[in-house]
Amino acid sequence: MVLNRWYYQIPVMQPKERQDITRQNVETLFISNDFQDSLARRLAGAVQVPAIAYDDMGLVGEDPRWEVFHQFSDYLTKTFPRVYEALRVETVSTHGLLYTWQGSAQDLKPLLFMAHSDVVPAGESTSLQWTYPPFSGHYDGEFIWGRGSEDDKSNLIAMLTAIESLLVCDFKPHRTVILSVGFDEEGGADRSYGARCLAEVLLERYGKNGIELIFDEGIAGIESRFGTDFALPATAEKGYVDVDVKLSVPGGHSSTPPDHTAIGFQAQIINLIEDNPFQSQLIRQNPTLTFYRQAAVLSKSMPLELRDAILGLKPTKRFLEYMDSDRERRAMVRTSTAITMVQGGDKVNSLPETANLVINHRIALHDSVQAVKEYYSALLRPWAKKRHFNLDAFGVVEKNREDSQTRFDNNNDCGDLTLTAQYELEPSPISDTEDSRFSWLAGVIKGVFGENVVVAPELLTGNTDTRYYWDLSPQIYRWSPWRASHDPRGTRMHTLDERMPIKGLVEMVKFYHEFIRVLDEVQR
């Protein structure tokens, strides 16, 4: 067995200076009922502003649905007057917000926090099923209810409250602290007016790798796995690409159909794709492997057989079989394939001339956008040749019939198959967990949540706004700092009855408060 550094856990890190701040805020203010009620009301007010980002939003300034974001900005200005007085607050791309708390030490790179103000729709068809209306911001003494209460207004309100609490104590940072707030993180994968523009401003201002580290939303809270509490900041994200598959065949009357209509051909292709998934691999750089090695050494109840499979010289076939046996786990080691949109046919008695489907992929760290394209070209080429379909695979054309050949008759299947890709995003760079900056993060987590919490990296299967920030720092962490156990129903983001426990929200404030203080003391 190879155990070496997997035994090692980062020691607790807590602020050493200004213990008066610890006594005033951490030990007194944050545990008071008055503070918790005030904090809950702040998040409730933020939830009550329905800052929804739809997939089909038009340009900012042209689509009136963006106007509500002015209301949200006004709410923050009124709620955090001390922050707006002490920090430089800039508006970027109309609704993006950039807060800069200038530090006194010019040689220290800034600490960058990220959040977003937009939320997903609540869904008209399910609005009556909510325990409380989705934009009511109802607070029942335990939970703040409503869309955005967890994703991601909780992080934003907690960050601003932490900064305000430090301002009240006359804390003056040595290291500059930046908060970058996008407004269209939920609005679709193919463009961004928020985070992209904010990142461009920051890159111009601080230069490549000009930020010490970046912290954004991610996996919700501390989770219990194998009988042990784990904090799992994501140090990498999977890539992304949508593949469009279009079939074109002659139409006609449904009373004399061919053996296969366009929709029938579409069904064949769907079966072919779903029966031939991408292969799972677990490369050394995948943070999932680091997590499982930590868990194998430090968790309380991992089965011995699984421990042995993980801690061998190489991950064994048995370990990959374990990963593949659950769809959540296999997403960590495989490029996922999800057929999410299909279209074909306009009328019941008319043969469809086209059929389309869209396949969404989250690309594993060992794959690439080009690898996904090559997979589809190789998979569908034999099918197209057998069926005499001309194939256009991402611009590479292969003819499988003569121009003079009858396109469609009783004895011959013919048509055109076209593959295109939309929104191509490679897997993210991987932040190094042996870097001292990961140690800072892990130390603060243990200082806030307890030394028995095991901190290990994780892979994020979705994408955050950090995809625009890669050039700003090699150390990017994605995590939402609260205990998931505070809500017995678990995380409810993007679904019915989204809610945030007040205990978790207070933990968020405490984490950001202490993270700022600790990073202000290191490397000085």
Side-chain angles (χ1 to χ4, degrees):
M1 290 186 180
V2 179
L3 301 182
N4 51 54
R5 64 189 178 90
W6 307 116
Y7 275 125
Y8 178 69
Q9 269 288 292
I10 304 299
V12 169
M13 293 187 71
Q14 293 176 324
K16 297 178 181 178
E17 302 175 3
R18 292 292 307 270
Q19 289 303 300
D20 59 307
I21 295 179
T22 300
R23 292 189 294 272
Q24 180 172 327
N25 288 344
V26 178
E27 297 177 359
T28 305
L29 177 65
F30 295 162
I31 64 174
S32 71
N33 291 332
D34 287 345
F35 173 80
Q36 293 182 23
D37 288 345
S38 174
L39 180 61
R41 288 194 298 272
R42 285 179 169 182
L43 179 55
V47 169
Q48 288 165 4
V49 182
I52 301 171
Y54 297 92
D55 285 349
D56 62 345
M57 297 282 266
L59 295 174
V60 175
E62 296 180 5
D63 191 325
R65 291 176 292 181
W66 291 116
E67 293 303 308
V68 69
F69 286 83
H70 289 299
Q71 182 182 339
F72 188 77
S73 296
D74 291 342
Y75 174 77
L76 295 180
T77 304
K78 294 174 183 177
T79 305
F80 297 97
R82 191 183 295 269
V83 172
Y84 276 75
E85 180 181 348
L87 276 63
R88 179 172 63 170
V89 183
E90 302 168 86
T91 300
V92 176
S93 188
T94 307
H95 299 300
L97 296 171
L98 192 60
Y99 300 81
T100 304
W101 196 3
Q102 187 62 47
S104 59
Q106 299 300 315
D107 59 326
L108 294 180
K109 293 181 179 180
L111 165 63
L112 174 60
F113 293 116
M114 294 175 60
H116 62 89
S117 59
D118 58 307
V119 302
V120 298
E124 293 183 9
S125 62
T126 60
S127 61
L128 296 179
Q129 299 176 33
W130 286 67
T131 302
Y132 302 100
F135 292 102
S136 65
H138 179 81
Y139 176 52
D140 61 6
E142 186 176 6
F143 299 99
I144 303 94
W145 298 72
R147 177 63 79 230
S149 56
E150 181 181 347
D151 184 14
D152 183 39
K153 291 178 178 178
S154 56
N155 275 302
L156 175 56
I157 294 300
M159 290 171 184
L160 291 171
T161 299
I163 291 172
E164 178 192 63
S165 300
L166 289 169
L167 287 170
V168 169
C169 295
D170 197 33
F171 177 82
K172 294 180 173 60
H174 296 85
R175 185 188 301 278
T176 296
V177 178
I178 302 168
L179 171 54
S180 182
V181 185
F183 59 89
D184 57 359
E185 197 269 353
E186 307 286 10
D190 58 345
R191 55 98 183 98
S192 174
Y193 310 121
R196 177 179 57 80
C197 296
L198 286 160
E200 289 172 355
V201 170
L202 291 168
L203 190 61
E204 181 179 356
R205 187 169 295 174
Y206 297 101
K208 187 171 183 179
N209 295 332
I211 299 295
E212 191 69 74
L213 66 84
I214 299 172
F215 189 93
D216 194 14
E217 63 169 333
I219 296 170
I222 292 173
E223 299 182 2
S224 179
R225 299 186 183 182
F226 305 111
T228 305
D229 284 341
F230 283 92
L232 302 168
T235 55
E237 294 181 356
K238 297 179 78 173
Y240 184 108
V241 67
D242 292 325
V243 173
D244 290 4
V245 180
K246 180 180 180 180
L247 284 151
S248 300
V249 298
H253 199 283
S254 63
S255 62
T256 56
D259 291 339
H260 305 289
T261 67
I263 296 174
F265 285 131
Q266 182 186 63
Q268 293 177 18
I269 289 177
I270 290 174
N271 286 336
L272 193 60
I273 292 169
E274 291 195 337
D275 287 346
N276 292 275
F278 286 83
Q279 294 300 303
S280 298
Q281 293 184 42
L282 193 49
I283 59 173
R284 181 180 59 83
Q285 296 89 342
N286 190 332
T288 301
L289 179 58
T290 304
F291 158 70
Y292 275 101
R293 283 175 168 165
Q294 292 273 27
V297 173
L298 299 171
S299 66
K300 300 174 183 177
S301 61
M302 178 180 283
L304 181 60
E305 183 180 6
L306 180 58
R307 289 182 194 267
D308 291 342
I310 293 168
L311 293 175
L313 292 175
K314 293 182 179 180
T316 66
K317 180 181 178 181
R318 184 172 51 191
F319 181 38
L320 272 181
E321 288 173 350
Y322 167 79
M323 297 299 291
D324 277 343
S325 66
D326 175 88
R327 71 177 187 176
E328 298 288 338
R329 291 195 295 264
R330 77 184 182 201
M332 301 296 181
V333 295
R334 177 190 297 185
T335 294
S336 61
T337 304
I339 298 169
T340 54
M341 298 176 65
V342 293
Q343 179 276 326
D346 299 306
K347 199 172 186 301
V348 69
N349 63 346
S350 179
L351 297 176
E353 295 183 311
T354 60
N356 298 76
L357 63 95
V358 180
I359 313 145
N360 175 257
H361 305 84
R362 306 305 172 111
I363 305 173
L365 297 180
H366 58 267
D367 279 331
S368 64
V369 172
Q370 184 59 32
V372 173
K373 293 180 178 179
E374 291 173 356
Y375 158 86
Y376 279 100
S377 298
L379 180 66
L380 297 179
R381 185 177 294 114
W383 183 93
K385 186 174 183 179
K386 178 180 178 181
R387 293 292 188 183
H388 306 291
F389 271 68
N390 287 336
L391 174 64
D392 182 342
F394 312 103
V396 178
V397 177
E398 298 180 14
K399 286 199 168 188
N400 291 313
R401 67 172 183 273
E402 298 297 330
D403 291 338
S404 59
Q405 184 177 352
T406 303
R407 290 202 62 207
F408 205 72
D409 59 35
N410 291 333
N411 301 312
N412 193 50
D413 295 330
C414 296
D416 297 310
L417 176 60
T418 304
L419 310 178
T420 56
Q422 296 182 24
Y423 188 69
E424 302 176 7
L425 178 69
E426 299 292 350
S428 76
I430 303 169
S431 299
D432 183 5
T433 56
E434 296 186 32
D435 188 280
S436 60
R437 286 165 285 191
F438 186 82
S439 300
W440 303 344
L441 172 63
V444 173
I445 290 173
K446 295 171 79 69
V448 172
F449 294 95
E451 61 181 352
N452 291 328
V453 172
V454 177
V455 182
E458 185 65 288
L459 172 66
L460 203 62
T461 55
N463 297 113
T464 67
D465 273 342
T466 57
R467 62 188 182 271
Y468 300 105
Y469 289 67
W470 294 350
D471 286 342
L472 281 164
S473 176
Q475 294 302 112
I476 301 177
Y477 311 118
R478 309 152 184 90
W479 188 61
S480 292
W482 62 285
R483 286 185 180 272
S485 59
H486 288 317
D487 190 342
R489 294 165 58 178
T491 177
R492 303 286 296 173
M493 64 172 65
H494 286 216
T495 191
L496 186 73
D497 273 350
E498 182 177 351
R499 63 184 188 178
M500 185 70 205
I502 184 59
K503 290 182 180 179
L505 189 60
V506 171
E507 286 175 337
M508 284 184 166
V509 174
K510 184 179 178 182
F511 170 82
Y512 292 121
H513 182 277
E514 298 297 88
F515 198 31
I516 291 171
R517 294 177 67 198
V518 168
L519 263 71
D520 205 60
E521 296 178 11
V522 297
Q523 287 200 348
R524 287 224 316 269

